[in-house]
Amino acid sequence: MLGEFLHILAAAAVSWILFVTVDILFKLPETGGVSGASAIARDIEAGGGALAGGTMMGNIVCSPDASAGTLLAACGVYVAGIPGGLAAAVLVYIGNRICHDPGYAGTTGAVLATFVIYGFTQIGFAATDFIAGMVIAILTIQGLSHTHASRLLARLWRVRE
Amino acid sequence: MDEILVLLFAAVALIGALGTYLQRDPFNKLIAIGITYGGVLPFIIDRGYLDVAIVVSLIIPISTIIILPLMRRDLRDT
Amino acid sequence: MIAIYVVAAIAVFAVIRATIERNTGRKLPYVNVMNFAVAGAVVLLLDHPLALAAAAAYFVGSTLEANAVASTYAGGERRG
């Protein structure tokens, strides 16, 4: 019981690092992909957050990016191993095209996450740990405090620049 | 699906329904309707009706998109 | 199988936060957390290859819904 909980927390840390890295490498905080993302960024900034972090959070809301790729890759690995993860990458790519997004961040994140999660299943982690861990990771970005999360993301984005 | 999960997902659906009733802004009402659907979907999945779940997942956003132009602020205010 | 209880509890938490928040733009990220949680719960409830397709369909559909709501919200606010 406790061991599984620790596994979930470790998986949350791994997937947090994975999707934030991929998102920042693909310059999500730079500009809002659609007008809705810019509106969310403006509202978060009005609530006391930073604009770059708010833009990235708006982009996460408005199109499936690396975080969605990580979640669906974890689901795919749980259902069908590595082929399931790659099928999830294809589904993320289709979803990106539906939402008027180039779709490179989501697809890259899904393919990368497939192999990372498969590697962790070889050393004792279960794929379900990564599904719950990814939900916890997205909760820390989008669900706890928009002000602090957007400031943290803006600081990471300044490092990337 | 045991009693705890039934309670949690039913809570999601009920909070969404109550939120739809309580919100004043039409956008917030639409978002709350989406929350209600998110609480209902696990019950469809739990019975094994995957085809129903896929079809409803595609119909709900399309119906929202059809309703959205009716709720534009400039149109509503005139 | 503690994972599905964690996911369901996070869904309830996110929904409560989304209902309390009054600003539409700040409400959408909380709803996004609930979409992640429900998409994960779908696969955790039923271990079947089609469950992956159902989770992806739900996730893409709800993202499209949030996208459309946010875009219309932005357009309406700019004109108003």
Side-chain angles (χ1 to χ4, degrees), chain B residues 1-2 4-5 7-9 11-12 15-16 18-19 22-23 25 27-28 30-31 33-35 37-39 41-43 45-51 53-54 57-58 60-61 64-65 68-69 71-74, chain C residues 4-5 7-9 11-12 15-16 18-24 27-28 31 34-35 37-38 41-43 45-46 48-51 53-54 57-58 60-62 64-65 68-69 72-73 75-77 79-80:
Chain B
M1 188 182 256
D2 56 11
I4 303 172
L5 287 177
L7 280 178
L8 287 174
F9 286 122
V12 172
I15 292 171
L18 268 179
L22 292 174
Q23 308 284 353
D25 190 67
F27 287 106
N28 293 350
L30 266 187
I31 293 172
I33 291 174
I35 292 175
Y37 172 62
L41 182 76
F43 294 105
I45 292 289
D46 187 50
R47 299 287 177 187
Y49 299 130
L50 283 170
D51 44 356
I54 293 172
S57 298
L58 298 177
I60 295 266
T64 305
I65 290 169
L68 264 174
M71 296 195 167
R72 294 261 293 264
R73 295 189 171 180
D74 45 353
Chain C
I4 184 151
Y5 299 104
V7 167
V12 175
V15 164
I16 292 172
T19 308
I20 291 172
E21 176 68 54
R22 308 185 73 87
N23 183 305
T24 304
K27 197 189 271 272
L28 283 168
V31 180
M34 188 213 69
N35 290 334
V38 171
V42 164
V43 177
L45 277 173
L46 200 60
H48 187 278
L50 257 185
Y58 173 72
V60 172
S62 55
L64 191 62
E65 187 179 343
V69 170
T72 316
Y73 169 68
E77 200 165 66
R79 286 190 195 86

